[in-house]
Amino acid sequence: MSHNLTRGALARICQGEDVHEPLVQVLGHKAIQGSGQDQERYRLLLSDGQYTTSFCMLATQLNNIIDDKQLEMFTVIKVKKQICNQVAGLTKRVVIVLDLEVVTPGAQVGSKIGNTAQMGSDGKIPSGLSPG
């Protein structure tokens, strides 16, 4: 089965471009301590087949997707709505996934797609590479 991820989408989102419903792959997630919030938050490791970034968060209203084990490693998702915020006082950019659709469960994909480069926390890509 072929999975056509939206190559370069994560970098373009971090650069302020509106990328319509990109397909990305979940390479992992981790519960993190929220800042004074009662609800748990999840940090995502995402790949678009060209770049990976761990500077992604799942909106808390989507926590049930992780609780229901729908975002296992290697799952391909369609990001239906996202925002990219710059952390106050820092150059760090964080992509927040507000809505998504599971396209292919990780068990069916079975492995990482593509040979990816790590994006910087500022959303910048390694020199010599271009998004998409």
Side-chain angles (χ1 to χ4, degrees), residues 84-94:
C84 183
N85 289 340
Q86 184 163 347
V87 178
L90 302 172
T91 58
K92 186 187 296 186
R93 294 183 178 277
V94 177

Side-chain angles (χ1 to χ4, degrees), residues 16-79:
E17 191 177 318
D18 182 23
V19 180
H20 183 70
E21 297 191 345
L23 290 180
V24 298
Q25 186 178 36
V26 177
L27 298 179
H29 55 74
K30 179 180 177 181
I32 62 167
Q33 195 69 19
S35 55
Q37 300 169 338
D38 292 335
Q39 199 160 17
E40 204 163 37
R41 300 216 55 170
Y42 290 96
R43 183 175 179 169
L44 302 175
L45 175 59
L46 297 180
S47 166
D48 61 18
Q50 186 172 11
Y51 303 109
T52 58
T53 183
S54 61
F55 294 95
C56 298
M57 299 291 295
L58 186 67
T60 54
Q61 67 266 24
L62 299 178
N63 281 359
N64 66 300
I65 294 173
I66 288 182
D67 296 339
D68 295 342
K69 307 222 180 296
Q70 294 180 53
L71 281 189
E72 296 304 300
M73 185 180 268
F74 308 132
T75 298
V76 174
I77 61 172
K78 178 190 296 183
V79 179

Side-chain angles (χ1 to χ4, degrees), residues 82-112:
Q82 79 280 335
I83 57 171
C84 183
N85 289 340
Q86 184 163 347
V87 178
L90 302 172
T91 58
K92 186 187 296 186
R93 294 183 178 277
V94 177
V95 176
I96 301 169
V97 177
L98 301 172
D99 191 17
L100 66 84
E101 173 186 322
V102 172
V103 175
T104 309
Q108 290 179 28
V109 178
S111 64
K112 179 179 167 185

